Amino acid sequence: MQVINKEWIQPLMWGSMFLSSGGGGGERNIAKLLEKTFRQSLEVNLIELNEIDPSGQYLAVGIMGSPELLGEHYITGFEGVDLFDQLNNLRNNSIQGLFPLEAASVNILYPLLVAGLSKRPLINGDAMGRAFPEFQMTTFHLNNLPSTPFVLKDCLGNNYHFHDEDTFLLELNTRQVVDKGGGVGFFVGYPTAGNILKRILIPKTISFAANIGRTFLESKSYAELLNDLIVASKNSLYASVIELFVGTVENSNHIRTKTLEWDTIAIKGKGYYEKEEFKILVKNENLIAYRNNQVAAMVPDLISIIDLETLKPVSNSNLTAGAEVAVIGMPAPLVLKTKKSLEFIGPQNFGYKSKYKSLEELYFSYYFGD
């Protein structure tokens, strides 16, 4: 067991932004709230999968909706505490702890806040290993496990309870509630026994996010940062990061065809990549990347952007034309790359018809030598 204190907050914030693969937003607001809360000597026990009580019950907690709208709402963390109490009462006060559904953006930070305020431990693992936009893109769905009972609070303070709905219907119904209730919602759900969580959660993703985040706080140059990211990732469940491109952001556009609808990011190469071009296709997160019109990376592998001026991860909503950036790829955990997993998180789930090619396949010599 590790203990999370205020020294973890900044590393977790930057690590969560890196793992969001261009999506996310609102991390700084939640981090400020965490720093204020943890200033009062608050600590949270971070428990490993092998420390979970096999017979205990645990809940997922998080935020859904538009990251850009988070700053328009007054968030305290007690929204999640209230929802936790509601579902805990439904479960005869049997809930022992919490876990994040996805290891990225505010959905690392907000569960930590709720865990601290409710004085419950947080599990060092999650059900996505990165950011994904929909509830069926989890290891719960992969293992045919229920997501309900599920309790949602919109920004108007209304509570909604969902029971006995499959994951796709839950995704549809909760999105409708959030869209009508201010664009942001807070939730708890997925009550699950510890012995099952030990089997299906992706382990150590919270501590990994903190390790990644520390590299952004400690590195003094891009070369040092890239090396530190390689060191932090190469012995993890993700495997080593790889530099995909370095250049200047030219523009961001929205494109629509008969079958596809994407946002795109165009980057013009510099230095080693001079006279080359790079394009990223985006749907919430960075999903497909091309270098000179050849596939350079694909979901579920992570495609993250680093601002070379600040040496920090940057979300797509904050990218501006003229910014000098590095594009970094990182292999997804193996559980996300099985044939069964790719059926619901592979490129075809986002309207892209080509077969998934892993970073290891695309850059074989980098990962395995000549």
Side-chain angles (χ1 to χ4, degrees):
M1 181 181 70
Q2 301 180 73
V3 177
I4 297 179
N5 56 29
K6 62 182 180 180
E7 304 302 323
W8 282 63
I9 297 171
Q10 285 295 309
L12 278 174
M13 183 187 76
W14 293 115
S16 73
M17 291 177 68
F18 182 80
L19 290 171
S20 70
S21 292
E27 297 90 354
R28 287 178 173 83
N29 292 335
I30 304 296
K32 288 179 181 178
L33 184 55
L34 274 166
E35 288 174 335
K36 180 180 178 181
T37 304
F38 274 63
R39 203 173 292 140
Q40 303 166 6
S41 300
L42 184 67
E43 295 181 338
V44 170
N45 291 333
L46 184 68
I47 58 175
E48 305 298 335
L49 296 191
N50 62 3
E51 297 173 317
I52 298 174
D53 180 354
S55 60
Q57 291 277 315
Y58 298 82
L59 289 178
V61 59
I63 297 177
M64 61 182 297
S66 171
E68 290 80 10
L69 295 177
L70 275 178
E72 298 181 11
H73 301 284
Y74 181 66
I75 298 172
T76 66
F78 287 102
E79 315 88 0
V81 175
D82 176 53
L83 295 174
F84 173 88
D85 290 340
Q86 291 182 49
L87 197 41
N88 192 25
N89 289 336
L90 289 176
R91 289 285 167 144
N92 299 315
N93 298 313
S94 63
I95 306 301
Q96 295 191 13
L98 304 171
F99 61 92
L101 201 61
E102 65 175 347
S105 189
V106 296
N107 279 325
I108 284 181
L109 303 174
Y110 190 74
L112 173 59
L113 178 62
V114 176
L117 294 173
S118 64
K119 302 187 186 305
R120 292 298 200 284
L122 185 68
I123 295 175
N124 190 9
D126 79 298
M128 290 186 178
R130 49 160 296 157
F132 280 122
E134 298 175 349
F135 286 131
Q136 68 269 20
M137 297 175 176
T138 66
T139 55
F140 284 88
H141 187 70
L142 172 64
N143 288 277
N144 299 312
L145 293 169
S147 51
T148 59
F150 185 101
V151 187
L152 173 69
K153 185 187 292 289
D154 67 18
C155 288
L156 305 178
N158 301 308
N159 296 324
Y160 300 84
H161 288 235
F162 300 88
H163 299 273
D164 301 322
E165 298 183 5
D166 69 24
T167 310
F168 289 99
L169 189 58
L170 179 71
E171 172 69 25
L172 175 64
N173 289 336
T174 54
R175 295 293 171 185
Q176 290 177 342
V177 167
V178 170
D179 288 345
K180 294 177 181 178
V184 175
F186 309 89
F187 70 84
V188 298
Y190 295 82
T192 306
N195 63 323
I196 296 175
L197 292 178
K198 286 184 176 184
R199 176 170 57 88
I200 70 158
L201 289 187
I202 301 171
K204 298 186 180 297
T205 49
I206 308 306
S207 56
F208 177 71
N211 289 339
I212 286 290
R214 291 185 187 101
T215 68
F216 294 107
L217 295 170
E218 297 169 357
S219 302
K220 301 299 189 294
S221 68
Y222 171 63
E224 181 182 348
L225 173 61
L226 180 59
N227 181 72
D228 290 346
L229 285 171
I230 291 171
V231 171
S233 60
K234 69 179 181 180
N235 293 319
S236 73
L237 287 176
Y238 294 81
S240 175
V241 304
I242 181 171
E243 178 187 273
L244 300 177
F245 203 72
V246 175
T248 303
V249 176
E250 289 191 304
N251 56 60
S252 297
N253 292 308
H254 186 82
I255 62 172
R256 184 194 298 266
T257 69
K258 290 182 178 179
T259 58
L260 296 177
E261 187 173 353
W262 304 82
D263 291 320
T264 66
I265 300 168
I267 304 172
K268 183 178 181 180
K270 59 174 292 187
Y272 177 80
Y273 303 94
E274 189 176 2
K275 297 182 180 180
E276 297 190 36
E277 59 182 11
F278 200 83
K279 182 178 289 185
I280 303 173
L281 302 184
V282 180
K283 281 190 176 181
N284 295 298
E285 290 79 37
N286 300 325
L287 299 180
I288 315 287
Y290 293 92
R291 179 179 172 186
N292 301 328
N293 295 320
Q294 299 295 315
V295 170
M298 304 175 79
V299 65
D301 291 330
L302 290 80
I303 305 166
S304 300
I305 299 176
I306 295 172
D307 186 318
L308 292 180
E309 181 179 355
T310 64
L311 295 180
K312 299 292 191 299
V314 58
S315 63
N316 295 336
S317 61
N318 291 322
L319 269 183
T320 58
E324 295 189 354
V325 299
V327 184
I328 304 296
M330 185 168 69
L334 289 178
V335 67
L336 301 182
K337 300 196 283 191
T338 65
K339 182 178 180 180
K340 187 173 182 180
S341 293
L342 291 173
E343 291 177 1
F344 62 93
I345 60 173
Q348 73 277 8
N349 291 275
F350 302 92
Y352 189 85
K353 294 184 178 180
S354 295
K355 182 181 177 182
Y356 166 68
K357 290 185 178 180
S358 69
L359 285 172
E360 293 93 335
E361 180 181 357
L362 291 167
Y363 305 96
F364 186 89
S365 61
Y366 176 84
Y367 284 102
F368 304 110
D370 295 327

